Amino acid sequence: LWALAGALPLLGVLDRTLFLAARGEHYWTAIVILALAGGGGEAADGAFVPGMMWLWAALWFWAGVSKLNHHFPAVVGVMLSNNPLVRFAWLRRRMYRDFPTDMGPSRLATWMAHAGTLLELSVPVVLMLGDGGAVTWVGLALMLGLHGFIMSNVPMGVPLEWNVVMVYGGFYLFWAHAGVSAWALSPATALVVGVMGLVLPLLGNLLPA
């Protein structure tokens, strides 16, 4: 794990495409959290789960923040109008203000975009507040709705494997290991999660250049 943790940033310096294609902000951070846990079996399981909980929550949260812009309604409109499962021409047209003369996003597309953003921001909050009971199940249902909707659209240029991994991780971390406290972090893991899950995304949003 440490060999992978060292190799990926080195390769990323040589060619940033490799780091981006490997989803370094997700999988590289996960590798470091696993490596810091060390050991094996029950001990390692209990050690890496809190860090992974924060990583998953950060990914959902910042993905939601990234949609707080003016162009996301257009993304949703185009995605839905190209959905291979939506065979109704009238519904496809409703994604635009006045098809085909005005291809800007309609009020419906805008409303759906804002609802999706709220959903993505809500998933990590609800799951982090849950303890395996009703709140957790609500969070898992919201998570399934979010990723199920994305995957059902078969959007172009979207790594759908990531949606599968997030759903699997959501059940593994917040349901199967609901009894593990997200606050049971080692200092080293807390530092990694703090930098990768808070500091860098915040700087990237404030200073995108």
Side-chain angles (χ1 to χ4, degrees):
L1 287 172
W2 282 119
L4 291 171
L8 186 55
L10 178 61
L11 292 170
V13 171
L14 300 174
D15 182 355
R16 73 175 67 179
T17 303
L18 293 172
F19 192 83
L20 294 172
R23 293 195 77 98
E25 80 288 351
H26 181 179
Y27 299 131
W28 180 80
T29 308
I31 288 171
V32 173
I33 292 172
L34 288 168
L36 287 171
E42 294 291 333
D45 191 49
F48 76 74
V49 167
M52 291 294 189
M53 285 178 169
W54 284 107
L55 174 59
W56 252 245
L59 289 165
W60 279 314
F61 177 78
W62 291 111
V65 169
S66 73
K67 297 172 177 62
L68 297 173
N69 53 57
H70 295 293
H71 71 263
F72 188 59
V75 173
V76 171
V78 171
M79 181 178 71
L80 280 168
S81 65
N82 282 283
N83 185 333
L85 302 179
V86 176
R87 309 305 299 172
F88 306 107
W90 63 268
L91 183 56
R92 292 174 182 256
R93 295 192 193 98
R94 284 206 62 190
M95 294 297 107
Y96 305 99
R97 290 176 191 155
D98 184 20
F99 180 87
T101 56
D102 187 347
M103 299 295 284
S106 66
R107 288 184 179 180
L108 176 60
T110 301
W111 179 85
M112 293 184 72
H114 293 328
T117 301
L118 179 61
L119 174 60
E120 194 154 29
L121 290 170
S122 300
V123 167
V125 176
V126 176
L127 285 176
M128 290 296 276
L129 291 175
D131 59 0
V135 175
T136 296
W137 282 108
V138 169
L140 292 173
L142 293 175
M143 176 194 70
L144 282 175
L146 170 69
H147 291 288
F149 176 75
I150 295 171
M151 288 189 285
S152 70
N153 281 276
V154 196
M156 297 175 289
V158 173
L160 291 180
E161 51 77 24
W162 182 79
N163 290 275
V164 176
V165 169
M166 290 301 290
V167 169
Y168 173 80
F171 277 103
Y172 181 87
L173 297 169
F174 297 99
W175 177 57
H177 293 84
V180 178
S181 172
W183 297 101
L185 295 166
S186 69
T189 301
L191 178 62
V192 170
V193 171
V195 171
M196 295 299 293
L198 177 61
V199 176
L200 288 181
L202 183 61
L203 284 175
N205 278 276
L206 295 176
L207 305 168

